[in-house]
PDB file of all heavy atoms in Angstrom:
ATOM      1  N   PRO A  40      -7.916  13.190   0.476  1.00  0.00           N
ATOM      2  CA  PRO A  40      -8.274  14.556   0.880  1.00  0.00           C
ATOM      3  C   PRO A  40      -9.690  14.958   0.510  1.00  0.00           C
ATOM      4  O   PRO A  40     -10.154  14.677  -0.590  1.00  0.00           O
ATOM      5  CB  PRO A  40      -7.249  15.424   0.130  1.00  0.00           C
ATOM      6  CG  PRO A  40      -6.739  14.572  -0.973  1.00  0.00           C
ATOM      7  CD  PRO A  40      -6.855  13.152  -0.533  1.00  0.00           C
ATOM      8  N   GLN A  41     -10.350  15.616   1.453  1.00  0.00           N
ATOM      9  CA  GLN A  41     -11.691  16.151   1.179  1.00  0.00           C
ATOM     10  C   GLN A  41     -11.591  17.420   0.347  1.00  0.00           C
ATOM     11  O   GLN A  41     -12.563  17.811  -0.312  1.00  0.00           O
ATOM     12  CB  GLN A  41     -12.434  16.400   2.489  1.00  0.00           C
ATOM     13  CG  GLN A  41     -12.859  15.085   3.148  1.00  0.00           C
ATOM     14  CD  GLN A  41     -13.605  15.294   4.436  1.00  0.00           C
ATOM     15  OE1 GLN A  41     -13.114  14.920   5.507  1.00  0.00           O
ATOM     16  NE2 GLN A  41     -14.779  15.883   4.368  1.00  0.00           N
ATOM     17  N   SER A  42     -10.434  18.074   0.406  1.00  0.00           N
ATOM     18  CA  SER A  42     -10.173  19.247  -0.427  1.00  0.00           C
ATOM     19  C   SER A  42      -8.660  19.354  -0.552  1.00  0.00           C
ATOM     20  O   SER A  42      -7.908  18.690   0.171  1.00  0.00           O
ATOM     21  CB  SER A  42     -10.746  20.499   0.228  1.00  0.00           C
ATOM     22  OG  SER A  42     -10.050  20.776   1.426  1.00  0.00           O
ATOM     23  N   ARG A  43      -8.209  20.235  -1.474  1.00  0.00           N
ATOM     24  CA  ARG A  43      -6.774  20.444  -1.657  1.00  0.00           C
ATOM     25  C   ARG A  43      -6.191  21.033  -0.368  1.00  0.00           C
ATOM     26  O   ARG A  43      -6.739  22.006   0.161  1.00  0.00           O
ATOM     27  CB  ARG A  43      -6.550  21.401  -2.831  1.00  0.00           C
ATOM     28  CG  ARG A  43      -5.119  21.532  -3.293  1.00  0.00           C
ATOM     29  CD  ARG A  43      -5.075  22.196  -4.650  1.00  0.00           C
ATOM     30  NE  ARG A  43      -5.677  23.532  -4.593  1.00  0.00           N
ATOM     31  CZ  ARG A  43      -5.002  24.644  -4.306  1.00  0.00           C
ATOM     32  NH1 ARG A  43      -3.709  24.590  -4.062  1.00  0.00           N
ATOM     33  NH2 ARG A  43      -5.622  25.801  -4.270  1.00  0.00           N
ATOM     34  N   GLY A  44      -5.144  20.392   0.153  1.00  0.00           N
ATOM     35  CA  GLY A  44      -4.509  20.906   1.360  1.00  0.00           C
ATOM     36  C   GLY A  44      -5.013  20.284   2.652  1.00  0.00           C
ATOM     37  O   GLY A  44      -4.589  20.676   3.739  1.00  0.00           O
ATOM     38  N   HIS A  45      -5.905  19.288   2.535  1.00  0.00           N
ATOM     39  CA  HIS A  45      -6.426  18.593   3.735  1.00  0.00           C
ATOM     40  C   HIS A  45      -5.240  17.972   4.493  1.00  0.00           C
ATOM     41  O   HIS A  45      -4.549  17.094   4.001  1.00  0.00           O
ATOM     42  CB  HIS A  45      -7.419  17.524   3.273  1.00  0.00           C
ATOM     43  CG  HIS A  45      -8.100  16.779   4.384  1.00  0.00           C
ATOM     44  ND1 HIS A  45      -9.165  15.948   4.161  1.00  0.00           N
ATOM     45  CD2 HIS A  45      -7.874  16.715   5.720  1.00  0.00           C
ATOM     46  CE1 HIS A  45      -9.574  15.417   5.303  1.00  0.00           C
ATOM     47  NE2 HIS A  45      -8.790  15.863   6.262  1.00  0.00           N
ATOM     48  N   THR A  46      -5.040  18.468   5.714  1.00  0.00           N
ATOM     49  CA  THR A  46      -3.866  18.089   6.510  1.00  0.00           C
ATOM     50  C   THR A  46      -4.324  17.471   7.824  1.00  0.00           C
ATOM     51  O   THR A  46      -5.380  17.823   8.360  1.00  0.00           O
ATOM     52  CB  THR A  46      -3.020  19.373   6.790  1.00  0.00           C
ATOM     53  OG1 THR A  46      -2.729  20.005   5.549  1.00  0.00           O
ATOM     54  CG2 THR A  46      -1.732  19.060   7.500  1.00  0.00           C
ATOM     55  N   LEU A  47      -3.533  16.538   8.337  1.00  0.00           N
ATOM     56  CA  LEU A  47      -3.824  15.897   9.627  1.00  0.00           C
ATOM     57  C   LEU A  47      -2.701  16.215  10.604  1.00  0.00           C
ATOM     58  O   LEU A  47      -1.532  16.290  10.201  1.00  0.00           O
ATOM     59  CB  LEU A  47      -3.919  14.382   9.451  1.00  0.00           C
ATOM     60  CG  LEU A  47      -4.977  13.880   8.467  1.00  0.00           C
ATOM     61  CD1 LEU A  47      -4.801  12.381   8.210  1.00  0.00           C
ATOM     62  CD2 LEU A  47      -6.378  14.159   8.994  1.00  0.00           C
ATOM     63  N   VAL A  48      -3.048  16.388  11.867  1.00  0.00           N
ATOM     64  CA  VAL A  48      -2.039  16.617  12.906  1.00  0.00           C
ATOM     65  C   VAL A  48      -2.248  15.576  13.993  1.00  0.00           C
ATOM     66  O   VAL A  48      -3.362  15.448  14.533  1.00  0.00           O
ATOM     67  CB  VAL A  48      -2.123  18.039  13.492  1.00  0.00           C
ATOM     68  CG1 VAL A  48      -0.907  18.323  14.365  1.00  0.00           C
ATOM     69  CG2 VAL A  48      -2.239  19.085  12.385  1.00  0.00           C
ATOM     70  N   ILE A  49      -1.193  14.828  14.283  1.00  0.00           N
ATOM     71  CA  ILE A  49      -1.299  13.750  15.283  1.00  0.00           C
ATOM     72  C   ILE A  49      -0.213  13.896  16.349  1.00  0.00           C
ATOM     73  O   ILE A  49       0.879  14.390  16.066  1.00  0.00           O
ATOM     74  CB  ILE A  49      -1.212  12.342  14.633  1.00  0.00           C
ATOM     75  CG1 ILE A  49       0.169  12.072  14.021  1.00  0.00           C
ATOM     76  CG2 ILE A  49      -2.290  12.173  13.570  1.00  0.00           C
ATOM     77  CD1 ILE A  49       0.326  10.655  13.456  1.00  0.00           C
ATOM     78  N   PRO A  50      -0.509  13.441  17.573  1.00  0.00           N
ATOM     79  CA  PRO A  50       0.535  13.438  18.608  1.00  0.00           C
ATOM     80  C   PRO A  50       1.375  12.167  18.476  1.00  0.00           C
ATOM     81  O   PRO A  50       0.933  11.197  17.849  1.00  0.00           O
ATOM     82  CB  PRO A  50      -0.280  13.392  19.901  1.00  0.00           C
ATOM     83  CG  PRO A  50      -1.484  12.572  19.531  1.00  0.00           C
ATOM     84  CD  PRO A  50      -1.784  12.894  18.085  1.00  0.00           C
ATOM     85  N   LYS A  51       2.548  12.187  19.059  1.00  0.00           N
ATOM     86  CA  LYS A  51       3.373  10.973  19.039  1.00  0.00           C
ATOM     87  C   LYS A  51       3.026  10.028  20.185  1.00  0.00           C
ATOM     88  O   LYS A  51       3.431   8.874  20.169  1.00  0.00           O
ATOM     89  CB  LYS A  51       4.854  11.340  19.030  1.00  0.00           C
ATOM     90  CG  LYS A  51       5.229  12.030  17.723  1.00  0.00           C
ATOM     91  CD  LYS A  51       6.707  12.079  17.454  1.00  0.00           C
ATOM     92  CE  LYS A  51       6.939  12.566  16.026  1.00  0.00           C
ATOM     93  NZ  LYS A  51       8.374  12.694  15.704  1.00  0.00           N
ATOM     94  N   VAL A  52       2.280  10.517  21.176  1.00  0.00           N
ATOM     95  CA  VAL A  52       1.831   9.623  22.259  1.00  0.00           C
ATOM     96  C   VAL A  52       0.693   8.748  21.736  1.00  0.00           C
ATOM     97  O   VAL A  52      -0.025   9.121  20.808  1.00  0.00           O
ATOM     98  CB  VAL A  52       1.340  10.392  23.511  1.00  0.00           C
ATOM     99  CG1 VAL A  52       2.511  11.054  24.219  1.00  0.00           C
ATOM    100  CG2 VAL A  52       0.252  11.403  23.171  1.00  0.00           C
ATOM    101  N   GLN A  53       0.547   7.589  22.355  1.00  0.00           N
ATOM    102  CA  GLN A  53      -0.513   6.660  21.962  1.00  0.00           C
ATOM    103  C   GLN A  53      -1.821   7.061  22.628  1.00  0.00           C
ATOM    104  O   GLN A  53      -1.946   6.995  23.846  1.00  0.00           O
ATOM    105  CB  GLN A  53      -0.132   5.234  22.376  1.00  0.00           C
ATOM    106  CG  GLN A  53       1.120   4.733  21.680  1.00  0.00           C
ATOM    107  CD  GLN A  53       1.376   3.254  21.932  1.00  0.00           C
ATOM    108  OE1 GLN A  53       0.804   2.661  22.863  1.00  0.00           O
ATOM    109  NE2 GLN A  53       2.223   2.653  21.138  1.00  0.00           N
ATOM    110  N   ALA A  54      -2.791   7.478  21.826  1.00  0.00           N
ATOM    111  CA  ALA A  54      -4.119   7.823  22.362  1.00  0.00           C
ATOM    112  C   ALA A  54      -5.125   7.614  21.237  1.00  0.00           C
ATOM    113  O   ALA A  54      -4.893   8.034  20.105  1.00  0.00           O
ATOM    114  CB  ALA A  54      -4.143   9.270  22.830  1.00  0.00           C
TER     115      ALA A  54
END
Side-chain angles (χ1 to χ4, degrees):
Q41 288 181 246
S42 66
R43 190 165 60 89
H45 183 169
T46 306
L47 301 170
V48 191
I49 66 176
K51 293 196 170 178
V52 290
Q53 297 189 343

